[in-house]
Amino acid sequence: MDRISRDFTRAIYENFEALAERARDQLRDCHYGQPNGCPACTFDEHCGNDNKPLLRASAIDVLNQFLGAEDREDLAEHLPDDEHGSDRRPYIFYF
């Protein structure tokens, strides 16, 4: 890893909480009104999946979990049915 990449990585690591808060706030405060977000808050011009699937609300939930702003119980409807995850596979396996 070159020096610039290392410095950039360190800056992100050291400022992760502030970056995650800004990303969450941008997603939360987007006034476009689309559940998937808009080009300003969720789209990436380099996305290999044509920016699908994107869910703005899910991204906000993930960032809130990273930031400790939600309890695990807040996501109960999205958790596996038992402690071993039952036989349901993660979403990624369906592609």
Side-chain angles (χ1 to χ4, degrees):
M1 184 182 305
D2 63 26
R3 186 185 62 77
I4 294 172
S5 297
R6 194 173 43 250
D7 292 347
F8 184 69
T9 303
R10 180 176 300 280
I12 290 173
Y13 177 79
E14 291 173 353
N15 296 290
F16 176 77
E17 188 171 324
L19 291 169
E21 286 174 355
R22 286 184 66 188
R24 180 202 52 205
D25 294 348
Q26 181 174 350
L27 289 165
R28 185 191 61 214
D29 298 339
C30 178
H31 299 291
Y32 186 66
Q34 297 295 320
N36 295 345
C38 71
C41 72
T42 59
F43 288 19
D44 180 358
E45 64 186 54
H46 302 292
C47 180
N49 290 329
D50 196 28
N51 288 296
K52 295 177 184 171
L54 295 176
L55 293 172
R56 186 168 49 118
S58 297
I60 293 168
D61 288 343
V62 168
L63 289 166
N64 279 334
Q65 285 291 309
F66 280 146
L67 294 166
E70 288 186 3
D71 292 326
R72 186 171 170 84
E73 291 80 30
D74 293 336
L75 300 176
E77 66 184 89
H78 305 291
L79 297 174
D81 297 331
D82 62 29
E83 73 178 82
H84 301 291
S86 71
D87 60 353
R88 189 172 69 188
R89 290 183 172 188
Y91 185 76
I92 191 75
F93 286 103
Y94 293 107
F95 286 103

